[in-house]
Amino acid sequence: MLAAPWVCRSCARSLRSVGSPRLLRRASTIAALPPALVERARKIAAEHDKLTTALETDFDQKTAVRAGEISRVATALREFEKASASLAELRSLLESNDTELRELARDDLESTQAQLADLGRKLSVALTPKHPFADMPCLLEIRPGPGGTEGRFFADSLFRMYRSYCENKGYPTRIVKYEVSESDGQKGSEGEVALQEAVLEVQQIGAYGEFRGESGMHRVQRVPATEKSGRTHTSAVAVWVLPSFPESPSTDAESEWDNPESDFYIDVAEVRVETMRARGAGGQHVNKTESAIRLTHMPTGTMVSMQDSRSQHTNRREAWRLLRSRMAQQKREAREELAQKLKSSVLASSQITRGDKIRTYNYQQDRCTEHRSGLDVHNLPNVLDGGEKLGEILESVQGWLTERDIQMILAEEQADAAPKGKKGK
Amino acid sequence: MPRLRPSLFWAARRDISPFAALLLQVCRDLPSTANELRWIREHIASTSSLVPSKLRLWKMCEKRAKGVPLQYVLGTQPFGGLEIKCRPGVLIPRHETEAYTTELAQILLRQTPTRLSILDLCTGTGCIALGLLSLLPPPVHVHGIDISPIAISLANTNLDHNTRLGLLAPQPSSIHFTQADIFSPSLLPSLTPHAWDLLISNPPYISRGAFARETARAVRNYEPRLALVPDRDDETAGLGCASEDVFYARLLQLAGVLTPRRAFFEAAGIEQAVRVINMVKGDARLSGLYPQVEIWRDNPHKEYEVQRFGDHEVPFRGSGGARAVYLCQSDQL
């Protein structure tokens, strides 16, 4: 009789993660850089050398800027090559007949290998282009998916999670929007309320870079407080991460509002402004309290409405800010998509758009699974309190994003190489 | 007013809060009910009182359910970047007033770099005067006048309140409010010394019939009739116009003497605005003084549309219902 023994799901999962091909792949990327990547780095370094010699004889603003941009890669490559040369030397020493020398070489070998891995990672980071909004503060938009009250409660849990994570990290935050549907005093198991939509602004430089991996569908599996027969429900909450820009007029982003090249630029004539009190008489005859503002960007149909404040002035300002952020995000997504199409389609499925399920929070198993990096974290309460476990998850997502960028560069490199090969034939 | 379905009340009670069912009587739909309840809650959370907050919430919702305007219940109304206090006996600032005040400040900012002086007649809460003061660069002189002593004291309170909140820069001598009747013959001597840049007014303009038929119940029952309906039969006979237009006749008389560079009057709608323009065109001196005439709509922005009335063309600015008349001396529009 050939029958596999029954293995519970969590055990099976832990078995799987031991020999995960995903982890192996990542390990190999870090330890030994793919030759195509090193080749690309060499090319860039050669360009850097040429530019610096050109600059010595004849200074040119444009050349200097380009040289400054790629100097990072050149430095990282120099260090990487130095380390790999010393590693090769150590390897040859291991072959030697002198016992003492062999011992010394063995001692050094380990540290050099670690150093090489570190430098390799630095090099690959230097090669990956920096996200244009990475240095910006960000807006976290949280909205429950279909799934009734349970999804809304969980949306509030997520909102609290991000807020307390920022608190723990010391990032200043501001609640831009917090709309609750009050269901007659009904509360979740941890006192959360039924959230309809929330926008949290993280006013920290570089917050967009840190949180951009958070956008997507977050799935929750638990027995809701309202469930009487103890069944586990699955619901989803959508999180969007949008770049935000500081309010003070001195910053670059705001000065770019009027710059048609900028992502934040919106032609004011293309936006329809509606104050939702158009019907009936106005002026002294009536005394309306509605202060809602709705902005519609007509070419794309993007709509933003704000009614949080009693002041129309404040609503208008917030609505414009939100519209600009959304438009900038859309423009970037469109650009990214275009770039994706042009390049290889290998990574198209891992492109972050609004549809993918990215993380699961399972209460019964006290587990949080990050689907992209394949990371399982236990101690769910710590994650939901925004503790260091959430930090671990965010880090793993960062790693995944970097890896993805490296693969994109590789794909680009291959695409570049292909036509050349054809020409050669 | 059409009757509301009972299911709507149940929905309010179930989906929002039992208090929402109270507010629904005056708000008439669920989204605005939810908003008003939230604002009341926020107000209670942000102010301290010895009375338990649940009781305060209940009291306020009950008061609002009776039809008292929300601004009187909460005691304030935002106006531009300011917080204007509201009290029974003084007209509540309207969104339309806020919109044209902001737009007018933009025009003044673009065109007059020198020290501005502004005369605000029938100032009420002082919202227009304070709003312009907050939007224009410092050397501004603003004079607000109202017939009601309650309004004058409230306008002064608003000045102090907003200065204390830091919403207005402290400018001791540049703004003052005085109590006076604009129909009184002694008004003019006290005003002449200035070269006024702007004469602005939101006078009472609702006719007696419209007050009975067209005004909202909250307005009719709780806001002062003094600020809404011109009951000036003695002066009406003297000025020879319809009873609801008597303030415009007097304002134009004042404009003819004070010759401000710009004059701006809020009006009830298209018919009244056209009547005011006809008063200007019918007077040789005034039509010479103010060749540029515009009608502003509820949402004033730069879009223009020209309509013909009788033998003259009038440009309309913005979108929505006609809201105000704007007069300007030559080449300064």
Side-chain angles (χ1 to χ4, degrees), chain B residues 7 10 21 45 55 58 66 102 118 172 192 202 212 216 221 225 237 243 253 269 276 289 300 326 332:
Chain B
S7 63
W10 285 110
L55 184 64
W58 182 61
K66 269 196 264 170
T102 317
I118 295 162
T192 24
N202 179 10
N221 293 345
R225 189 185 160 96
S243 82
Q253 214 175 44
V276 174
L289 192 59
Y326 177 52
Q332 280 180 339

Side-chain angles (χ1 to χ4, degrees), chain B residues 85-223:
Chain B
K85 286 192 174 241
C86 300
R87 273 185 216 146
V90 187
L91 189 79
I92 296 163
R94 305 289 201 257
H95 289 305
E96 290 88 350
T97 311
E98 183 182 345
Y100 69 66
T101 306
T102 317
E103 187 63 30
L104 208 52
Q106 294 299 319
I107 290 182
L108 291 174
L109 265 180
R110 272 201 298 274
Q111 302 196 351
T112 326
T114 51
R115 181 189 153 94
L116 285 162
S117 55
I118 295 162
L119 180 61
D120 178 17
L121 300 178
C122 310
T123 186
T125 54
C127 59
I128 297 177
L130 295 168
L132 287 173
L133 189 67
S134 76
L135 291 167
L136 296 170
V140 185
H141 169 254
V142 186
H143 188 177
I145 292 176
D146 202 289
I147 192 171
S148 149
I150 314 172
I152 293 304
S153 100
L154 184 60
N156 280 317
T157 312
N158 274 323
L159 174 62
D160 293 343
H161 179 66
N162 284 291
T163 313
R164 202 169 48 245
L165 288 179
L167 301 172
L168 269 178
Q171 301 150 318
S173 61
S174 60
I175 181 161
H176 59 281
F177 297 103
T178 48
Q179 191 212 334
D181 179 1
I182 68 162
F183 287 91
S184 128
S186 61
L187 179 74
L188 273 173
S190 64
L191 295 174
T192 24
H194 275 287
W196 299 97
D197 288 292
L198 173 67
L199 168 68
I200 187 165
S201 178
N202 179 10
Y205 55 64
I206 303 177
S207 69
R208 285 173 192 144
F211 181 74
R213 286 188 312 273
E214 289 166 22
T215 50
R217 208 185 306 176
V219 174
R220 196 159 60 237
N221 293 345
Y222 294 95
E223 291 199 80

Side-chain angles (χ1 to χ4, degrees), chain A residues 137-166:
Chain A
C138 70
L139 295 171
L140 287 168
E141 234 184 289
I142 301 170
R143 241 184 269 168
T149 339
E150 164 61 6
R152 292 181 181 179
F153 284 151
F154 185 65
D156 195 37
S157 303
L158 276 189
F159 176 78
R160 290 174 188 205
M161 173 177 94
Y162 287 124
R163 202 179 47 184
S164 49
Y165 179 72
C166 293

Side-chain angles (χ1 to χ4, degrees), chain B:
Chain B
M1 226 170 351
R3 180 175 168 270
L4 291 176
R5 283 175 289 117
S7 63
L8 205 57
F9 285 91
W10 285 110
R13 174 175 276 274
R14 189 183 61 241
D15 295 342
I16 308 176
S17 153
F19 292 113
L22 275 176
L23 295 180
L24 187 63
Q25 300 171 41
V26 281
C27 298
R28 316 293 297 174
D29 61 58
L30 289 179
S32 63
T33 306
N35 271 337
E36 289 206 3
L37 185 62
R38 189 163 41 94
W39 293 330
I40 293 177
R41 286 214 164 115
E42 279 170 7
H43 172 79
I44 289 173
S46 65
T47 50
S48 62
S49 162
L50 289 174
V51 185
S53 56
K54 196 96 180 177
L55 184 64
R56 287 172 77 199
L57 178 63
W58 182 61
K59 283 271 181 201
M60 281 187 172
C61 288
E62 252 197 348
K63 203 168 163 193
R64 177 78 182 114
K66 269 196 264 170
V68 180
L70 183 71
Q71 294 87 341
Y72 286 158
V73 175
L74 301 182
T76 59
Q77 166 69 18
F79 189 89
L82 304 177
E83 186 180 281
I84 300 291
K85 286 192 174 241
C86 300
R87 273 185 216 146
V90 187
L91 189 79
I92 296 163
R94 305 289 201 257
H95 289 305
E96 290 88 350
T97 311
E98 183 182 345
Y100 69 66
T101 306
T102 317
E103 187 63 30
L104 208 52
Q106 294 299 319
I107 290 182
L108 291 174
L109 265 180
R110 272 201 298 274
Q111 302 196 351
T112 326
T114 51
R115 181 189 153 94
L116 285 162
S117 55
I118 295 162
L119 180 61
D120 178 17
L121 300 178
C122 310
T123 186
T125 54
C127 59
I128 297 177
L130 295 168
L132 287 173
L133 189 67
S134 76
L135 291 167
L136 296 170
V140 185
H141 169 254
V142 186
H143 188 177
I145 292 176
D146 202 289
I147 192 171
S148 149
I150 314 172
I152 293 304
S153 100
L154 184 60
N156 280 317
T157 312
N158 274 323
L159 174 62
D160 293 343
H161 179 66
N162 284 291
T163 313
R164 202 169 48 245
L165 288 179
L167 301 172
L168 269 178
Q171 301 150 318
S173 61
S174 60
I175 181 161
H176 59 281
F177 297 103
T178 48
Q179 191 212 334
D181 179 1
I182 68 162
F183 287 91
S184 128
S186 61
L187 179 74
L188 273 173
S190 64
L191 295 174
T192 24
H194 275 287
W196 299 97
D197 288 292
L198 173 67
L199 168 68
I200 187 165
S201 178
N202 179 10
Y205 55 64
I206 303 177
S207 69
R208 285 173 192 144
F211 181 74
R213 286 188 312 273
E214 289 166 22
T215 50
R217 208 185 306 176
V219 174
R220 196 159 60 237
N221 293 345
Y222 294 95
E223 291 199 80
R225 189 185 160 96
L226 179 69
L228 299 164
V229 185
D231 291 316
R232 290 289 193 154
D233 293 331
D234 300 344
E235 287 87 357
T236 309
L239 289 162
C241 59
S243 82
E244 63 266 30
D245 297 339
V246 61
F247 272 78
Y248 300 109
R250 175 62 176 165
L251 286 168
L252 289 174
Q253 214 175 44
L254 292 175
V257 179
L258 297 172
T259 62
R261 291 213 176 84
R262 299 176 178 81
F264 192 96
F265 313 128
E266 187 173 322
I270 182 80
E271 295 90 5
Q272 192 165 39
V274 171
R275 284 203 301 271
V276 174
I277 285 178
N278 285 336
M279 280 186 208
V280 178
K281 299 280 179 194
D283 184 309
R285 179 170 151 66
L286 277 175
S287 60
L289 192 59
Y290 298 109
Q292 314 256 28
V293 176
E294 276 181 25
I295 290 180
W296 282 27
R297 293 194 155 126
D298 281 342
N299 304 308
H301 38 78
K302 274 180 225 142
E303 276 164 34
Y304 278 100
E305 175 203 355
V306 176
Q307 284 187 22
R308 220 179 153 71
F309 292 99
D311 50 356
H312 40 259
E313 287 180 337
V314 182
F316 281 64
R317 185 195 279 256
S319 60
R323 184 53 53 218
V325 178
Y326 177 52
L327 311 175
C328 190
Q329 292 187 5
S330 56
D331 62 42
Q332 280 180 339
L333 202 69

Side-chain angles (χ1 to χ4, degrees), chain A residues 74-96:
Chain A
T75 329
L77 181 71
R78 212 171 298 133
E79 275 171 27
F80 178 76
E81 283 187 331
K82 214 164 81 188
S84 47
S86 64
L87 188 69
E89 202 176 327
L90 283 175
R91 286 238 168 85
S92 70
L93 281 182
L94 277 179
E95 315 277 298
S96 81

Side-chain angles (χ1 to χ4, degrees), chain A residues 178-185 269 273-275 277-292 307-316, chain B residues 14-16 18 35-36 38-39 41 69-71 74 76-78 80-81 92 94-96 98 202-203 205-206 214-216 219 223 227-228 266 268 299 323:
Chain A
Y178 190 73
E179 258 183 44
V180 174
S181 68
E182 297 170 56
S183 339
D184 203 4
V273 184
E274 283 164 290
T275 53
R277 49 184 170 78
R279 61 208 139 78
Q284 294 176 357
H285 293 81
V286 288
N287 168 11
K288 293 218 172 115
T289 54
E290 286 132 82
S291 54
Q307 52 174 24
D308 266 28
S309 169
R310 280 175 71 209
S311 160
Q312 217 167 58
H313 183 69
T314 314
N315 282 339
R316 190 185 300 267
Chain B
R14 189 183 61 241
D15 295 342
I16 308 176
N35 271 337
E36 289 206 3
R38 189 163 41 94
W39 293 330
R41 286 214 164 115
L70 183 71
Q71 294 87 341
L74 301 182
T76 59
Q77 166 69 18
I92 296 163
R94 305 289 201 257
H95 289 305
E96 290 88 350
E98 183 182 345
N202 179 10
Y205 55 64
I206 303 177
E214 289 166 22
T215 50
V219 174
E223 291 199 80
L228 299 164
E266 187 173 322
N299 304 308
R323 184 53 53 218

